[in-house]
Amino acid sequence: MVKTFLSYARTDAAKARSIASALEKAGHSIWWDHRIKSGSQFSKEIEVALNAADAVIVLWSESSIDSAWVRDEAAAGRDSGRLIPVQIDKSAPPLGFRQYQGIDLSCWNGRGKAREFQALLGAIETMKGGEETAEVAVGTSLPTSIQSKPPHPARLSILLGLVAIALVAVAVVLFRDRQLEETQTVAVTAAEASAKPLARDLMVKLGILQSARSGTMRLINVDQDDRKDVDFLFEIGGDPTADNLAISLVLTTGGDPNVLWAADLTEDRGGLADLKQRAAFTAARVLGCALEARSQSEPPLKQDTLKLYLNACAILGDQRSNDLDQIIATLKQVVELAPNFQPAWARLLVAQTSRIQGASAQVRKNSAAELRRNVVLARKIDPSVPEAYLAELELIPAPLFAEQVRLADMAFEAAPTNPHVLSGRSLMMLVVGRADAAVEDAQRAKNVDPLSPAVRFAYVEALAVAGRIDAARSEIEEAEKLWPGASKIVSTRYFFERMFGDPKEALRLIRSGAVKGSREQEALLDARLQPTKSNIDRAISLAMANRTDTADWLQSAVQTLGEFDRKEQLFAILLDRHDPREIPYFVDVLFRPAQADLRADPRFMLVASRFGLLRYWRESGHWPDFCRQPDLPYDCQKEAANLR
């Protein structure tokens, strides 16, 4: 008997019932949500059942492809290798699930054991243990081996550089989506007795990553196991009680004393919490690159080439580093020495794309030609490398949102479980007003990369913009438990409280010295806390001072004017002429809760048209979330039609 979870849209309940009944008669245990008891915690019981299942059957239909619940449940099945896709009408599955051949039950009448239903039974039987994703061709006999099509490997920069902390994530390197052929054994040991607390902390953090990316590595305690049986060994040194904070990290292979990578990390800007976070984050990225090089390089990388590659990964993983020129130079050496090593090409595209984001026109012009050449070269190694889509996205003249979203979707389809593909597309969704879709992608990104502060920040932002304030606050509290006292988590808390939450808490963080706030930010917080005329006038005056046509100024002005219902001033600014190169970097602010009154005015459609958003909504058919609000005083599509 296989424990099976059945995911379906509410309108497909009759079809789900007939499939569930037939599977139960075949001897399988079926869970579907009609069995939830009255008064149960709905989402919690679903989560428990989903986690306990050996197989996750998803019924794709015209209704279910638009269901956030079904997509989430399908993603959980896909990401854990338990997904069995079933089509119950002729609708194509959503992006991210089309590479899996489904079982077609659209013509099955619920009676008898037709060939298609036999295929479903066979797929379920192969899921005992839940190790593989079903890919079944209709018309085959009972499959003896059902294997998933491996997703293309991917690394993706955070799209468009929308927020300052996301610039850190542009340079982050993660484990590849493609699973290793065999699990690699990884150990952590202390270089000296004083470093044992640091070793324990690093072990815990890598353990969190191991849980999120099951099947790629196994952590062991080298005090109990022979080092010769270890594939990779991290040796960590340092004294957390010393006045001069420093941590040393050394990566070797198990039975080989040769050093693959080493670094001495110091922290002069923050405290021990920041240093431990930095050490764990960098170690995770370097380890990911080492695992990847072992599994994906054919022939194996030479030792010197591997060391160069790991050094580049370390710089990419160092949250304080922004030396893109050094990263690019190192990765160029790697691809010259190993021209068929796809991961190095992918990271080179990430670094070069990051370099042209927000750069001057001359730098963009000089860098764009080389980036285009490298996109072509990378695609010779992997035609669907997701980093190439993101590079092309950055090269598109602003504000062609339809083309940019299309490229983000193509990256997602190539690498649907990659956290930076997901975080990047989430931010793209915020730009075009689709916060609910942004939340889905950002949550999945956090689930597969729980150690990344930037990925978690993107999730908090998406939740807050979608109006899920309590959920965003809970997410920050979870991050604070994971990284207590770390400055990047404090910055996330400050951003949230300043933009969406409690102005009193945001002011406390400034005045305690935990964060550095500008005069404009303090004035805005004072006015939110005590909205007197003088406070509001001062906040607006500072926000409007030194007017420029840059994204930073536009975001500040729009946020402040929106907070205090200065709608006419807002329209005057937004309908003025702007540098189109700045448009993608500030329009997300239009969809925050503070701009609700602005969006309630039919003239907002004219603003959307001016910035290129309306063209995307019309062409894609994906209208922004606010257009579905029942109290909106106009119809978005009708108002848009009047602007033709």
Side-chain angles (χ1 to χ4, degrees):
M1 180 179 70
V2 179
K3 291 187 291 184
T4 304
F5 181 97
L6 185 61
S7 176
Y8 66 100
R10 185 65 55 193
T11 53
D12 300 324
K15 188 79 169 183
R17 183 178 293 105
S18 64
I19 291 173
S21 176
L23 292 176
E24 285 178 332
K25 289 178 181 177
H28 296 298
S29 171
I30 310 299
W31 190 98
W32 56 307
D33 60 14
H34 83 292
R35 293 182 172 176
I36 294 180
K37 298 176 182 178
S38 177
S40 293
Q41 290 182 305
F42 187 76
S43 60
K44 183 63 177 176
E45 188 165 338
I46 288 178
E47 184 178 4
V48 170
L50 184 59
N51 291 337
D54 298 316
V56 178
I57 298 176
V58 175
L59 306 185
W60 289 125
S61 69
E62 184 177 3
S63 299
S64 67
I65 60 176
D66 292 325
S67 167
W69 282 98
V70 174
R71 282 175 178 250
D72 277 348
E73 292 159 2
R78 176 195 62 199
D79 298 346
S80 59
R82 297 175 293 154
L83 176 64
I84 300 177
V86 174
Q87 291 178 265
I88 58 174
D89 64 18
K90 298 304 181 182
S91 301
L95 288 173
F97 299 94
R98 293 177 185 172
Q99 67 267 52
Y100 302 114
Q101 179 66 42
I103 299 169
D104 189 352
L105 294 184
S106 59
C107 297
W108 183 63
N109 61 10
R111 296 186 298 275
K113 294 187 177 180
R115 184 173 54 183
E116 293 83 358
F117 187 74
Q118 291 285 356
L120 176 58
L121 291 175
I124 294 172
E125 286 296 328
T126 67
M127 300 303 258
K128 289 180 178 177
E131 295 177 351
E132 295 179 308
T133 300
E135 181 183 337
V136 181
V138 174
T140 62
S141 59
L142 283 177
T144 58
S145 175
I146 303 176
Q147 298 190 2
S148 65
K149 178 181 178 181
H152 294 288
R155 290 300 160 272
L156 189 60
S157 68
I158 292 294
L159 291 177
L160 302 176
L162 294 175
V163 289
I165 197 170
L167 294 177
V168 176
V170 167
V172 168
V173 180
L174 292 170
F175 293 126
R176 308 299 291 180
D177 283 322
R178 187 184 295 146
Q179 298 245 332
L180 301 177
E181 292 181 2
E182 59 182 32
T183 300
Q184 304 289 292
T185 303
V186 180
V188 178
T189 188
E192 58 271 335
S194 62
K196 286 186 176 180
L198 297 174
R200 283 195 297 270
D201 184 76
L202 181 57
M203 191 81 169
V204 168
K205 297 305 188 293
L206 292 180
I208 293 171
L209 194 61
Q210 175 187 239
S211 298
R213 304 290 288 174
S214 59
T216 59
M217 67 176 187
R218 180 172 66 94
L219 284 170
I220 66 169
N221 186 336
V222 291
D223 292 335
Q224 300 172 2
D225 296 83
D226 191 339
R227 291 191 183 196
K228 292 180 181 179
D229 296 329
V230 174
D231 292 298
F232 293 101
L233 174 69
F234 265 117
E235 188 173 70
I236 185 168
D239 183 355
T241 65
D243 293 335
N244 297 322
L245 294 174
I247 288 179
S248 66
L249 283 170
V250 179
L251 178 66
T252 63
T253 53
D256 187 350
N258 260 340
V259 173
L260 296 178
W261 170 81
D264 292 316
L265 306 177
T266 59
E267 188 61 59
D268 53 0
R269 304 178 194 176
L272 179 61
D274 280 348
L275 188 57
K276 289 164 68 176
Q277 184 188 56
R278 188 173 160 218
F281 195 63
T282 304
R285 273 40 188 175
V286 171
L287 177 60
C289 288
L291 293 169
E292 171 182 80
R294 172 167 289 190
S295 67
Q296 296 188 32
S297 180
E298 187 60 43
L301 291 182
K302 293 181 179 179
Q303 194 85 332
D304 289 344
T305 306
L306 176 59
K307 289 180 179 180
L308 274 175
Y309 179 59
L310 295 183
N311 283 335
C313 290
I315 303 171
L316 283 164
D318 189 339
Q319 300 171 61
R320 299 196 322 176
S321 176
N322 58 0
D323 193 349
L324 291 173
D325 289 337
Q326 180 185 351
I327 296 168
I328 290 169
T330 304
L331 288 170
K332 281 182 178 179
Q333 287 183 269
V334 175
V335 297
E336 286 174 7
L337 294 167
N340 293 321
F341 185 45
Q342 189 269 358
W345 282 106
R347 282 157 180 75
L348 180 59
L349 294 181
V350 169
Q352 290 182 319
T353 302
S354 302
R355 183 166 62 180
I356 69 173
Q357 288 176 338
S360 66
Q362 189 59 46
V363 170
R364 287 181 64 89
K365 182 179 179 181
N366 294 340
S367 302
E370 183 182 18
L371 179 56
R372 288 190 181 94
R373 286 195 299 271
N374 285 336
V375 165
V376 173
L377 292 172
R379 283 200 167 128
K380 289 182 179 179
I381 310 302
D382 180 356
S384 60
V385 58
E387 292 80 358
Y389 296 125
L390 265 291
E392 290 176 324
L393 187 155
E394 187 61 35
L395 293 170
I396 289 176
L400 301 179
F401 294 116
E403 288 80 356
Q404 290 170 333
V405 172
R406 178 181 61 83
L407 287 166
D409 285 344
M410 291 172 73
F412 173 78
E413 192 161 5
T417 61
N418 180 274
H420 287 290
V421 172
L422 292 164
S423 289
R425 197 173 73 149
S426 173
L427 288 171
M428 192 73 244
M429 293 297 99
L430 291 182
V431 169
V432 296
R434 298 174 58 194
D436 288 341
V439 168
E440 291 185 22
D441 282 341
Q443 182 180 30
R444 292 167 186 157
K446 188 218 70 169
N447 289 343
V448 293
D449 187 21
L451 295 186
S452 171
V455 169
R456 197 172 292 260
F457 177 95
Y459 184 36
V460 169
E461 183 184 22
L463 286 168
V465 173
R468 306 181 197 182
I469 302 301
D470 289 341
R473 183 173 282 110
S474 296
E475 194 59 35
I476 295 172
E477 291 169 355
E478 181 183 316
E480 289 169 338
K481 292 177 182 176
L482 179 63
W483 303 111
S487 59
K488 293 189 181 299
I489 304 304
V490 174
S491 297
T492 300
R493 165 73 73 178
Y494 172 64
F495 168 81
F496 168 75
E497 301 294 1
R498 177 168 64 89
M499 292 295 188
F500 311 100
D502 182 358
K504 186 176 181 180
E505 174 62 15
L507 282 170
R508 185 194 67 78
L509 289 171
I510 293 175
R511 290 165 184 171
S512 68
V515 297
K516 185 177 180 180
S518 66
R519 289 174 61 217
E520 293 85 351
Q521 291 171 359
E522 285 199 64
L524 175 59
L525 291 168
D526 282 331
R528 283 181 57 200
L529 194 59
Q530 296 181 339
T532 63
K533 184 179 184 304
S534 60
N535 280 349
I536 292 173
D537 288 346
R538 180 172 180 271
I540 292 175
S541 176
L542 286 171
M544 297 296 290
N546 303 317
R547 176 169 180 166
T548 63
D549 198 24
T550 64
D552 288 343
W553 182 86
L554 286 164
Q555 277 197 328
S556 177
V558 172
Q559 180 72 25
T560 303
L561 292 171
E563 288 279 0
F564 305 113
D565 302 325
R566 300 298 177 93
K567 190 164 62 174
E568 296 308 316
Q569 282 181 271
L570 263 175
F571 276 116
I573 291 172
L574 294 172
L575 294 176
D576 199 358
R577 299 181 68 84
H578 296 291
D579 183 343
R581 290 172 300 180
E582 299 293 341
I583 288 174
Y585 296 92
F586 90 93
V587 294
D588 64 307
V589 74
L590 300 175
F591 303 104
R592 292 178 182 172
Q595 319 311 325
D597 286 345
L598 179 76
R599 296 190 296 272
D601 191 306
R603 288 176 293 173
F604 185 75
M605 284 293 115
L606 185 58
V607 172
S609 178
R610 178 70 62 89
F611 292 151
L613 290 163
L614 190 54
R615 176 175 173 244
Y616 163 70
W617 296 336
R618 282 172 172 160
E619 291 182 1
S620 69
H622 294 297
W623 290 81
D625 297 342
F626 79 89
C627 289
R628 298 194 298 270
Q629 293 174 352
D631 57 346
L632 191 71
Y634 62 94
D635 183 292
C636 289
Q637 296 185 48
K638 289 181 180 178
E639 195 64 33
N642 294 334
L643 297 176
R644 287 187 184 278

